[in-house]
Amino acid sequence: MISLTALTGGAVLGVISARSWVRVARYWGDPTARPSPMALARLAGPAAKRRLARGSLLDSVCLSGLTLLLLGGAWLPRHGAADPRNPVAFAVALAGLAVFLGGCLGQISLVFIGRPLFVLPKHARGDDADTAGRRPGPQSGSSAGQGAAVAPTSLPYEQDGAAEILVFRDEADSYARLRRYKVYVDGKRVGDLRRGESCVTSVAPGAHTVQVRIDWCASPVSSADVARGDRLRFLCVARPGVESGPTAMFRMRHDFLLLRSV
């Protein structure tokens, strides 16, 4: 006996899934197209939202999995019914469940570690895509260094009369080794840091705030008072032990990274 409820639900989800795949195909072929929003993105931080949007293929995978699950389940006999089991319907429902769970796990992986990259179009892969379409500040920049010992010497020469704030990431930082921390000065994003990299920003003399973030986790906001010609240096690193604490990103989200003047 066919379950009309499951059949109707599967048909509706099939239409939604087809439209979702059309949007995914358009986004993969056209870098200027807008990716589809994802339901899980509402629960994630800004950077994770961008990754989930670019990985909207996984949303289509989940919808397709639910469609197969309902369509296969529509032909499965009810519990205790005398109807013989339909092996084809059972296989379709099982495949749909596997596809749905795979899509969900892929979304969770994108949120926390930014992987897998193969679900993203080539024009949206890498952390550089987070800043795509945004005009870079003329007073910010990044350069590769070798940690605290050499980061200051790897930067441009200080201009006469300019105040600068320099932030560098410890090369020994063991957290998120393949990802970047986002640097904010006065609430504005001024650069990204991989391990051993540094970012220098020219600012007007006076009081400023500095913070580093990754996804929804951040360091406490540090205050800096710079005079003309000053160059203040800050070292950022993940708080020890957070990589081994599965709940640290929730319990310590506002104190997840350390930022100290050096």
Side-chain angles (χ1 to χ4, degrees):
M1 182 177 181
I2 300 176
S3 172
L4 294 180
T5 301
L7 188 61
T8 302
V12 172
L13 278 177
V15 173
I16 297 174
S17 176
R19 294 182 58 186
S20 176
W21 279 110
V22 170
R23 290 195 295 267
V24 168
R26 185 183 301 120
Y27 177 57
W28 275 62
D30 182 6
T32 63
R34 293 186 60 185
S36 303
M38 300 176 68
L40 187 60
R42 299 179 180 179
L43 307 177
K49 284 182 180 179
R50 289 190 293 272
R51 289 197 298 272
L52 284 174
R54 299 198 306 267
S56 54
L57 177 146
L58 291 173
D59 205 24
S60 301
V61 169
C62 289
L63 289 172
S64 298
L66 285 176
T67 300
L68 292 175
L69 181 61
L70 288 176
L71 291 179
W75 273 271
L76 289 177
R78 297 180 179 180
H79 181 70
D83 298 338
R85 174 167 301 196
N86 188 331
V88 175
F90 180 76
V92 170
L94 189 62
L97 179 61
V99 170
F100 173 73
L101 292 178
C104 289
L105 290 176
Q107 292 182 33
I108 294 173
S109 179
L110 271 183
V111 169
F112 290 105
I113 63 175
R115 299 291 188 276
L117 291 180
F118 66 83
V119 301
L120 308 178
K122 290 184 178 180
H123 60 77
R125 296 179 184 177
D127 286 339
D128 290 338
D130 287 345
T131 57
R134 178 165 47 213
R135 180 181 299 176
Q139 297 178 333
S140 64
S142 301
S143 60
Q146 297 298 324
V150 300
T153 61
S154 65
L155 297 167
Y157 290 106
E158 182 178 334
Q159 300 176 354
D160 292 339
E164 294 180 337
I165 294 178
L166 183 155
V167 181
F168 56 93
R169 182 178 174 186
D170 196 334
E171 191 175 11
D173 189 5
S174 60
Y175 181 76
R177 299 183 179 185
L178 300 179
R179 299 182 58 200
R180 296 174 178 174
Y181 296 165
K182 278 65 176 175
V183 182
Y184 291 80
V185 174
D186 297 330
K188 297 181 180 179
R189 183 172 169 183
V190 297
D192 304 324
L193 297 176
R194 293 189 187 274
R195 294 194 307 160
E197 290 184 342
S198 51
C199 170
V200 63
T201 305
S202 296
V203 295
H208 299 275
T209 60
V210 185
Q211 188 182 39
V212 290
R213 306 175 190 170
I214 182 169
D215 296 333
W216 58 78
C217 301
S219 70
V221 176
S222 295
S223 299
D225 193 0
V226 295
R228 187 175 300 275
D230 282 351
R231 173 182 282 183
L232 298 187
R233 297 173 174 85
F234 290 87
L235 172 68
C236 66
V237 65
R239 181 173 293 278
V242 294
E243 65 272 11
S244 60
T247 62
M249 61 182 59
F250 301 103
R251 294 184 295 103
M252 305 169 60
R253 58 174 299 186
H254 300 297
D255 198 24
F256 193 82
L257 304 175
L258 297 177
L259 181 67
R260 65 176 183 269
S261 177
V262 294

